[in-house]
Amino acid sequence: MKALVLGATGGCGAPCLLRLLERGVEVTVIVRSADRLPAAAKGHAKLKVVVAPAGHLALSVDEFAGHLRGADAVVSSLGHNLTFKGMYFPPRMLCVDSVRLICDAARQLAPPTPLRLVVVSTEGVDRPDGADPKRGLLERLLLFVLWLLLPPVGDNEAVLPYLHTEASANPHVDFVAVRPSDMVDGDERPYSVFATLQNGIFNAGSSTRANVGAFMADLVTKTELWTKWRNGYPQLLDDTKKAA
């Protein structure tokens, strides 16, 4: 099996990368610098590192498709750095533009089996089909203010509608958008996955980054799990009762 991973140096992407390599998946990563890759991945026989100092969005569709060619799956665990530059300077639409690039490249390659696209989203974004419980007025107001003031919020919110409309109409892509709650560091621990949001931003649970990475890797490698969540928007929450 072959996979392309974007965001492989991040808190969710790194554990996903390691788990894929442990399972014998041939992984290509596109990174600005190879130095930030997890130590256990460096020099791995199954890992191909593509260094793009200006970022993968600087690649043309043809160039990106060349790196995607032959892959069965692609994982996008991208996010904005929580700094002034990371939030207000380009690429301001990192997440949705990356999904668009992946879908355009998949359409160009036209693989015989739809590409498995796994994307990290957030509990601050509702399912486009309206299946999530309705948020309260105060929560909706706060999310609107954040959307006005913080470009990454608008970027994250644009991903799910794009998947729901454009990716769903693309015969060469199937997707799963994973929605964690407040993400924390730590080792893998028991967690649960739900089809709809179980909480909002005022009563947020936690989602360990290692758990998110593990779940994304499972979606890539476990057909039964992929079939269950295909074209869905699951929320992943740490199971604090089991962990205790």
Side-chain angles (χ1 to χ4, degrees), residues 1-241:
M1 193 172 194
K2 297 182 179 181
L4 173 67
V5 178
L6 303 178
T9 60
C12 297
C16 177
L17 168 62
L18 292 175
R19 179 165 285 209
L20 291 174
L21 292 174
E22 289 170 0
R23 295 179 181 176
V25 178
E26 296 181 22
V27 182
T28 297
V29 298
I30 304 178
V31 294
R32 291 178 180 267
S33 171
D35 294 339
R36 294 181 56 207
L37 287 167
K42 293 179 179 178
H44 197 288
K46 294 284 187 180
L47 178 63
K48 177 183 177 181
V49 180
V50 177
V51 177
H56 61 275
L57 289 179
L59 302 176
S60 67
V61 175
D62 288 344
E63 291 172 322
F64 188 84
H67 300 306
L68 185 61
R69 190 181 307 277
D72 305 286
V74 56
V75 176
S76 177
S77 61
L78 298 163
H80 295 262
N81 293 325
L82 298 181
T83 63
F84 184 83
K85 181 178 179 181
M87 290 189 291
Y88 293 101
F89 282 73
R92 297 182 68 176
M93 303 303 285
L94 170 67
C95 299
V96 70
D97 283 348
S98 297
V99 170
R100 184 179 292 109
L101 178 62
I102 293 166
C103 291
D104 289 345
R107 190 180 294 277
Q108 177 176 304
L109 292 170
T113 302
L115 189 72
R116 295 184 182 184
L117 170 58
V118 183
V119 180
V120 173
S121 182
T122 170
E123 70 180 355
V125 183
D126 294 329
R127 287 178 56 134
D129 59 6
D132 284 325
K134 187 175 181 180
R135 299 180 190 268
L137 178 60
L138 185 59
E139 184 172 2
R140 285 184 280 134
L141 179 60
L142 177 58
L143 287 171
F144 176 70
V145 172
L146 293 175
W147 177 82
L148 285 176
L149 298 178
L150 301 175
V153 174
D155 183 21
N156 285 326
E157 288 189 2
V159 172
L160 264 61
Y162 182 88
L163 291 172
H164 186 66
T165 56
E166 301 299 325
S168 294
N170 188 335
H172 306 296
V173 174
D174 287 331
F175 68 86
V176 174
V178 183
R179 295 185 291 172
S181 189
D182 286 354
M183 288 202 280
V184 296
D185 293 325
D187 297 329
E188 290 183 33
R189 61 191 69 179
Y191 66 86
S192 299
V193 184
F194 306 90
T196 58
L197 289 180
Q198 301 300 296
N199 52 21
I201 60 175
F202 292 135
N203 62 332
S206 66
S207 301
T208 305
R209 291 181 175 88
N211 286 349
V212 178
F215 181 61
M216 292 191 299
D218 288 347
L219 287 167
V220 170
T221 59
K222 298 183 178 181
T223 299
E224 184 177 352
L225 187 69
W226 175 260
T227 301
K228 177 179 180 179
W229 294 110
R230 182 176 65 88
N231 294 344
Y233 314 90
Q235 183 178 35
L236 185 150
L237 293 171
D238 292 342
D239 195 326
T240 54
K241 293 182 179 180

